[in-house]
Amino acid sequence: MAFFLTMWRSRAVAAVLAAVATAFIAGAAQAEQPAKQLFGSMPLPAATQSKVHGFYSNGCIAGAVAMPVDGPRWQAMRLERNRRWGHPDLIALVQRLSEEAANDGWPGLLVGDISQPRGGPMLTGHASHQIGLDADIWLTKMPDRRLTRSERANISAVSVLKNGTLNVDPNIWTPEHARLLRRAASYREVERIFIHPGIKKAMCEAYGDNGANDAWMIKLRPYYGHHYHFHIRMKCPADSPNCRPQDPVPASGNGCDASLDWWFTDEPWTPKPGAKPAPRREKTLADLPNACRSVLAAPRPASEDLATYSAGFDQLAMIASAVPVAASAAPGRAALPATGRLPVPAPRPAR
């Protein structure tokens, strides 16, 4: 009898050890897999309280909510990418902007990429947009009709630059564009807004002489691209102590100074002789905050509707509906829109 008991115990211990080894191997394999594949395969968010983990370009989000496809003053674009997810505070802010910008003459927002359902690195495109606090808003006015899904996938945003230059095209750029950016930058929750240097120059010409505008003007940060959309970056929310903030914008001034003048020299647009871009290493789960493992493994809501941020949204109901997350195929790699953005770096176009 003692012999059989010993054998049973040995087999039980062996089974436990085998299970532990299997879990370890699976975890190690997951850790080595590109993080963009792990996060890009998630069709729905983690059905938990909202928490941001990490930095804008290296992190994830639990409890993200979806921007509704349509609203009174907005339409979500590129639906096939499944990138209209964000922290509830950000989604609420974009919806608020859509309504208040209407008072400034902007008919409605065309909302581009926000984040994936659980954030993390994206299959294509952005290096940031990983923690549900970044949102792209097109500089194209919303039409007075609902776009079809096909139109949302194929229509390109329109650059506001004069072709071949660094300056806005007065036939495209309007006072309504400027008022939209002013409105977005005025929100206390907004950390900064990325725009093309030519747009920053136009804003400086419109608002730079009045020091009362400095507090929001300094948030408008010139950067490559961003001439067909602007990029809202929100501050870390109070509910997310693991969110790593970006260095704050300068405490004074409006950015209409030598730092802007630099963008209109050759240096930003001319590659260094013999310089070659370093190959980018694919991030793995091990490169992200530890909490992102739990975000990936967390249960999902029973349906997308329960996680969509609208008037009837109930986060507790979303969490209560949680079902185990199931493996799913990664979505197709949606092509980025043909926007004619300036290459980085590139020969400087004529002014």
Side-chain angles (χ1 to χ4, degrees):
M1 183 68 178
F3 171 78
F4 289 110
L5 183 59
T6 300
M7 289 293 292
W8 178 84
R9 287 175 175 168
S10 297
R11 290 176 179 174
V13 170
V16 170
L17 291 175
V20 170
T22 300
F24 177 81
I25 292 171
Q30 188 184 53
E32 292 301 319
Q33 187 177 353
K36 67 182 182 181
Q37 299 292 345
L38 297 171
F39 284 92
S41 69
M42 292 292 175
L44 290 172
T48 65
Q49 292 290 336
S50 300
K51 297 283 183 184
V52 168
H53 302 285
F55 189 63
Y56 301 92
S57 58
N58 193 70
C60 60
I61 178 173
V65 296
M67 185 79 179
V69 170
D70 291 309
R73 299 285 185 178
W74 75 81
Q75 296 185 51
M77 306 298 285
R78 304 291 189 261
L79 301 179
E80 73 283 359
R81 295 184 185 177
N82 199 26
R83 296 178 181 177
R84 54 190 176 90
W85 300 86
H87 189 280
D89 290 354
L90 175 67
I91 303 302
L93 183 140
V94 173
Q95 294 182 12
R96 174 187 172 191
L97 174 63
S98 75
E99 292 294 334
E100 295 184 351
N103 298 326
D104 302 325
W106 193 262
L109 305 181
L110 295 180
V111 182
D113 287 353
I114 303 176
S115 290
Q116 298 175 138
R118 303 187 187 211
M122 292 186 174
L123 289 169
T124 58
H126 309 282
S128 59
H129 289 257
Q130 293 192 27
I131 56 175
L133 298 179
D134 295 292
D136 288 343
I137 308 297
W138 287 21
L139 286 166
T140 303
K141 295 178 180 179
M142 189 181 83
D144 59 359
R145 64 180 179 84
R146 291 296 161 189
L147 299 171
T148 66
R149 190 177 185 93
S150 177
E151 286 175 321
R152 297 178 199 225
N154 294 295
I155 289 176
S156 293
V158 177
S159 172
V160 298
L161 297 185
K162 189 174 183 179
N163 190 35
T165 78
L166 296 175
N167 299 309
V168 298
D169 187 335
N171 294 316
I172 301 174
W173 177 259
T174 66
E176 288 81 15
H177 285 91
R179 289 196 292 267
L180 173 65
L181 288 172
R182 179 185 65 185
R183 175 74 66 174
S186 71
Y187 295 141
R188 177 184 54 82
E189 304 93 332
V190 170
E191 171 67 33
R192 63 191 69 212
I193 292 177
F194 297 106
I195 54 175
H196 186 275
I199 298 176
K200 176 70 177 187
K201 179 182 176 183
M203 294 297 289
C204 287
E205 291 170 352
Y207 298 104
D209 290 338
N210 187 345
N213 297 322
D214 288 0
W216 62 264
M217 275 286 292
I218 195 64
K219 296 182 185 180
L220 300 177
R221 312 303 292 172
Y223 200 65
Y224 298 103
H226 298 90
H227 51 89
Y228 61 94
H229 76 273
F230 64 97
H231 176 158
I232 297 174
R233 173 159 291 176
M234 195 173 180
K235 296 177 181 178
C236 284
D239 62 17
S240 300
N242 290 332
C243 176
R244 184 162 71 85
Q246 188 167 4
D247 291 339
V249 297
S252 62
N254 58 13
C256 304
D257 51 23
S259 65
L260 177 60
D261 295 340
W262 175 80
W263 286 99
F264 293 88
T265 68
D266 290 336
E267 186 176 355
W269 313 101
T270 305
K272 294 180 180 179
K276 293 183 179 180
R280 181 180 294 177
R281 184 180 69 84
E282 293 280 11
K283 285 187 178 181
T284 67
L285 192 55
D287 296 312
L288 302 181
N290 289 335
C292 292
R293 298 175 184 273
S294 299
V295 171
L296 275 177
R300 61 174 178 82
S303 71
E304 182 179 299
D305 287 345
L306 286 167
T308 299
Y309 194 87
S310 58
F313 175 69
D314 184 340
Q315 191 169 46
L316 293 179
M318 179 192 79
I319 296 171
S321 78
V323 296
V325 64
S328 60
R333 292 174 179 242
L336 294 175
T339 58
R341 69 176 68 186
L342 294 173
V344 182
R348 181 186 177 207
R351 290 193 189 181

